Amino acid sequence: MNDPVDDLYQDLVLEHKRAPRHFGKLPHPTHEARGRNPTCGDDIQVQLQLEGEALKDIRFTGQGCAICIASTSMMTEALHGRDKQVAQDLQRRFRAVLTGEAEPEEAELGKLVSLAGVRAYPSRIKCALLGWHALMHALQQPAGDTVATLEEPAP
């Protein structure tokens, strides 16, 4: 019997692919960035409405595989209304789990732990991190700027 954490396509992941949370364009984003992986066709745009340090709203659009869409959907759900620092900390812990630098049980990922099985599939790590990379680049930009497309981020 498989360990549920190691199962790549768990029910929660598939649910987020079928019905992504916070999907759609923001009317007036303050920050945005696009991530694209030309190797597999994943293409995600993350839009934010920051008020001070708070992510008042976060949305995404685009297309991608189940892992890419589910990861980005779960990211938006976990970070909506949270502070910028929380987003940066969660991204760091999530990335550490996917790259094998941290154990899923110790990373305090909440529902994102269901994506920990991706680490067993090195070619899919980029899929799971694409929305996160776009988010981090959007957070680094001055308000009102759109970042050029990020091509195939490294895991």
Side-chain angles (χ1 to χ4, degrees), residues 36-58:
R36 187 170 166 265
N37 185 342
T39 305
C40 69
D42 293 341
D43 189 351
I44 299 293
Q45 181 157 359
V46 174
Q47 296 181 318
L48 310 172
Q49 186 167 8
L50 279 178
E51 282 188 6
E53 294 293 307
L55 292 168
K56 182 179 177 191
D57 204 352
I58 179 171

Side-chain angles (χ1 to χ4, degrees), residues 26 28-32 47-51 138 141-145:
L26 274 176
H28 303 288
T30 59
H31 298 73
E32 57 186 323
Q47 296 181 318
L48 310 172
Q49 186 167 8
L50 279 178
E51 282 188 6
Q141 299 308 306
D145 280 4

Side-chain angles (χ1 to χ4, degrees), residues 69-98:
I69 297 297
S71 178
T72 306
S73 173
M74 294 169 84
M75 172 191 80
T76 63
E77 191 174 56
L79 298 177
H80 189 266
R82 307 293 299 268
D83 284 344
K84 185 177 173 178
Q85 187 62 51
V86 170
Q88 293 167 331
D89 291 343
L90 186 56
Q91 185 270 348
R92 181 186 44 76
R93 293 193 314 269
F94 183 63
R95 185 178 188 282
V97 166
L98 292 188

Side-chain angles (χ1 to χ4, degrees), residues 123-150:
S123 66
R124 304 308 298 275
I125 293 171
K126 291 177 182 179
C127 302
L129 290 176
L130 187 64
W132 293 86
H133 282 280
L135 170 67
M136 292 299 107
H137 283 278
L139 287 172
Q140 294 170 2
Q141 299 308 306
D145 280 4
T146 301
V147 178
T149 301
L150 309 167

